[in-house]
Amino acid sequence: MSMKSSPYFNSPQFAQAASNLSSLFEPPSGADAAGWADANAKKAAASRIQQLFDYRNSPDFDQQSFDRGNIAVGNYAPTSSFQALDMNDATKRRGDDITAATSRANNAADNVGAMDRTRLSELGNLFVPLSEGQVRPELPSDIAGQFGVTHDLPAAQGREKPLTETEFNARTLAGMSPEMQQAAAFGSTPIEPVVTPDGPRNVTRPNALGQVPYDKPTAGLSVSMDKDGNVTYTQGGSGGKTTEFQGKQNAYVTRMRGMAPIIDTLGNELTDFKQAAYDALPTVGTIKTGNGMLSENYQKASNAGRVFLQSVLRLDSGAAIPPAEEAQYGDVFLPRPGDKPGTIAQKKQARDLALNGVEAGMTPEQVLATGRAVLASGGDPNATSAPSARAQQQGAAGGRPSQKAVDFLRSNPGAAQQFDAKYGAGAAAAILGGQ
């Protein structure tokens, strides 16, 4: 049989159609199978999820079963389940509760212990040794019970505190009469005798300004004042008794004569720096704190020097001597630390002249000026003059006139005769001539 060619055999369209028909009957490929399997798995998973959603709304819903279903389908891990979260919350809450309870218990125990320790400490403070003047008050049992004590705590007092100098003086003054208190208040306040219509009176120095000074009459001279303030000098008999001033003058001269040899012999002790420092320590009451550290010879020389200076200074008024004034005179008449032998010899000469000056009736200021002149002159005896004849005459007659008497004479020249009667012939002229 002869073959006949067909016009469709080589047709592309026909070939494509044949290929399409054959593909309809060929077995599925691996990719197709995998795709179908994946689609089926997703469909099954979606179905299970749908079932879980439906179960959530079921009246028989159980949280544990619901968690297991979600864990089974892989929706969340077991530790993320609702039950796990609830358990974790409960566990944490329990831990917090335990921690808080433990903290409260510890704090309560600490507070109790602190209160016990405080009570013991405060109780101990009540029984510490008491200082001077300190008082521990009585504690009744209801207060003492707070410290664990079941009975009253009696009051106690430390040793009585020594009184200060001010307190001692105040207590002493409180036991005095008003008159003695007034006298103590005045203390060493300088006083001056003045002439009043009721006779001579002692007044304080400021109150004496402008008043007529009163000098005790000598050998018949008396001074009086009437109610109008007129002063009268009355000259009586000559008399030959020693005046009060002369008596004091003689007593001080005697003291100076007795002290001078002691100063001359032991005066070098006063130049010791160390002992002078001890001697300068403060005085407590009437006790010199440094006295026990001084040598016996220093004490003798210091005491002799003090008596010598007081004999010069007290001749004027008899009042207490300020320490600064005593030190001023001591620098001129007594050996001091650092003095050279020549200076010590000058001060001895100054003491000799001071003795002669007091004996002649010179004032303390004149005696001091004479001593300073000796030191300034280098020790030349001719550089200082001896007490003048006028001073000696005044001293022999009625003593040295006070400054108030001099001022009164200058204001009342007519009283020159009475002035000479008291202080020696020519005494008034010597003062009035120098106006």
Side-chain angles (χ1 to χ4, degrees):
M1 175 178 185
S2 58
M3 303 222 19
K4 187 179 179 180
S5 62
S6 174
Y8 298 103
F9 182 79
N10 293 319
S11 174
Q13 292 81 4
F14 181 82
Q16 181 63 47
S19 174
N20 289 341
L21 288 172
S22 63
S23 64
L24 292 174
F25 299 99
E26 65 183 358
S29 65
D32 291 338
W36 294 335
D38 183 59
N40 290 333
K42 289 180 178 180
K43 182 179 180 181
S47 177
R48 289 191 294 271
I49 292 174
Q50 184 62 47
Q51 291 176 3
L52 290 173
F53 274 95
D54 293 341
Y55 180 68
R56 179 192 61 181
N57 298 321
S58 173
D60 300 328
F61 176 78
D62 179 68
Q63 182 67 57
Q64 187 175 4
S65 299
F66 184 76
D67 279 341
R68 290 177 179 176
N70 278 281
I71 293 171
V73 299
N75 284 339
Y76 45 74
T79 56
S80 300
S81 66
F82 288 100
Q83 183 179 7
L85 294 177
D86 290 342
M87 292 178 64
N88 290 339
D89 289 342
T91 301
K92 185 176 183 303
R93 188 179 302 111
R94 181 178 181 276
D96 292 342
D97 291 343
I98 292 176
T99 300
T102 302
S103 178
R104 288 194 298 270
N106 291 339
N107 290 340
D110 291 342
N111 291 339
V112 172
M115 292 179 65
D116 290 341
R117 288 190 295 272
T118 300
R119 290 193 184 97
L120 290 175
S121 176
E122 293 300 325
L123 182 61
N125 291 337
L126 293 175
F127 291 94
V128 297
L130 297 176
S131 303
E132 290 182 345
Q134 189 177 11
V135 176
R136 183 179 67 221
E138 179 183 1
L139 288 182
S141 58
D142 55 341
I143 297 178
Q146 299 179 18
F147 302 98
V149 181
T150 58
H151 55 81
D152 294 345
L153 291 178
Q157 182 173 358
R159 185 177 60 184
E160 184 176 358
K161 186 177 181 180
L163 297 177
T164 64
E165 182 178 359
T166 302
E167 293 171 338
F168 177 80
N169 292 340
R171 179 175 293 185
T172 303
L173 286 172
M176 294 181 176
S177 65
E179 294 76 12
M180 295 181 66
Q181 291 177 354
Q182 184 177 13
F186 274 100
S188 59
T189 301
I191 59 174
E192 300 290 345
V194 297
V195 178
T196 71
D198 298 324
R201 293 288 184 272
N202 288 328
V203 298
T204 60
R205 186 165 292 175
N207 292 334
L209 295 176
Q211 299 194 48
V212 178
Y214 173 81
D215 290 307
K216 190 173 182 179
T218 63
L221 180 65
S222 62
V223 184
S224 62
M225 175 186 289
D226 60 22
K227 294 184 178 180
D228 296 327
N230 300 316
V231 180
T232 303
Y233 289 86
T234 303
Q235 179 68 45
S238 59
K241 294 183 179 181
T242 301
T243 66
E244 180 183 6
F245 177 83
Q246 290 173 326
K248 290 167 53 179
Q249 182 183 34
N250 292 338
Y252 288 133
V253 169
T254 301
R255 294 179 190 176
M256 294 173 70
R257 290 189 188 282
M259 297 301 106
I262 299 176
I263 301 174
D264 295 343
T265 304
L266 303 177
N268 285 342
E269 292 285 331
L270 302 178
T271 62
D272 186 283
F273 279 97
K274 185 175 181 180
Q275 294 202 83
Y278 291 148
D279 196 20
L281 291 175
T283 299
V284 179
T286 59
I287 301 175
K288 293 191 64 175
T289 56
N291 192 55
M293 294 177 279
L294 303 176
S295 68
E296 182 179 355
N297 286 340
Y298 185 97
Q299 292 176 342
K300 291 180 179 178
S302 177
N303 182 65
R306 189 174 296 108
V307 173
F308 188 93
L309 296 179
Q310 290 174 351
S311 299
V312 175
L313 290 167
R314 282 187 172 169
L315 183 62
D316 188 26
S317 65
I321 303 170
E325 187 175 6
E326 184 174 331
Q328 180 184 24
Y329 280 69
D331 290 341
V332 174
F333 297 107
L334 300 179
R336 295 296 198 209
D339 283 352
K340 302 298 186 291
T343 303
I344 295 176
Q346 291 176 3
K347 290 186 175 182
K348 180 185 183 308
Q349 183 180 357
R351 290 194 298 275
D352 294 340
L353 290 177
L355 176 59
N356 295 334
V358 171
E359 190 172 18
M362 293 175 65
T363 66
E365 292 78 10
Q366 291 171 331
V367 172
L368 178 64
T370 301
R372 286 175 171 171
V374 172
L375 297 182
S377 69
D380 183 5
N382 297 323
T384 58
S385 58
S388 65
R390 173 66 62 197
Q392 295 180 14
Q393 182 183 25
Q394 292 175 0
R400 174 182 52 81
S402 68
Q403 184 61 43
K404 295 187 181 302
V406 172
D407 293 341
F408 178 81
L409 175 64
R410 288 174 175 169
S411 300
N412 303 273
Q417 182 179 357
Q418 292 90 335
F419 195 89
D420 284 346
K422 179 177 181 181
Y423 296 110
I431 294 174
L432 296 175
Q435 282 186 321

